[in-house]
Amino acid sequence: MRDAQVLRSAKVLGYAGLLPQIGFLTAATLVPPLASAAAIFGWAYSALIFSFLGGAWWGFALINPRAPRWVLPASVVPSLVALVSVVPTVLGLPGFTIPLLLIGSGLLASPLIDAAISRSVDLPQGWLRLRWHLSLGLGLLTLALALFT
C-alpha cells in the first residue's frame, strides 16, 4: 500500500513539475516581449531538474551495491551539462536557444540512463514509465521554448 501512495504522490508532483515550463512556453508564445525572460527562466528550471535527475542516479548507486560502476560518474554529467550549457550566453551569443537545446536534448536522453540502471538495480515500480513521461514532457517543452528565443 505504501508503494502505491508514494508512486501516486510522485506522479502528482512530477506532472505538476511540468507546469512551470508550460507557463514559460505560454508566456514566450503569447507575449513576445516576455520571450527572453521566459527563455532564461525556462532554461534555469530545466537545468535544475536535469541536475536533480543526476542526484537520483547518485542515490540509486549509493544505496545499491549491484549498481553498475558507471552510474556514479554518469550522475554528475547532468550538472556539468547544465553548467556548460550557459557558456554560449556567457560568451556573448544572444538568446538562450543553445542552452535550451542542450538541456532539452539531455532531458530527452535521460530515461535511457534509468533504463540501463534498471537492468541491475530494482527501481521503484512505475519509475521508468514516470521517468519517460516526465522527461519527454519537459524535454519537448524545453526544445519548444528554444524555438521562441
Side-chain angles (χ1 to χ4, degrees), residues 62-132:
L62 287 180
I63 65 170
N64 196 313
R66 295 181 316 169
R69 295 183 137 198
W70 58 264
V71 177
L72 279 175
S75 70
V76 300
V77 170
S79 295
L80 295 175
V81 169
L83 177 64
V84 169
S85 74
V86 78
V87 168
T89 304
V90 171
L91 294 178
L93 293 176
F96 263 74
T97 302
I98 295 170
L100 286 164
L101 291 173
L102 287 170
I103 297 299
S105 299
L107 285 163
L108 289 177
S110 66
L112 298 173
I113 300 297
D114 291 272
I117 292 170
S118 74
R119 290 192 277 278
S120 303
V121 174
D122 292 328
L123 297 176
Q125 184 178 6
W127 174 260
L128 284 178
R129 172 181 269 173
L130 183 61
R131 286 284 298 112
W132 277 104

Side-chain angles (χ1 to χ4, degrees), residues 122-147:
D122 292 328
L123 297 176
Q125 184 178 6
W127 174 260
L128 284 178
R129 172 181 269 173
L130 183 61
R131 286 284 298 112
W132 277 104
H133 289 178
L134 297 178
S135 291
L136 291 177
L138 186 59
L140 291 172
L141 288 165
T142 301
L143 293 177
L145 187 56
L147 298 175

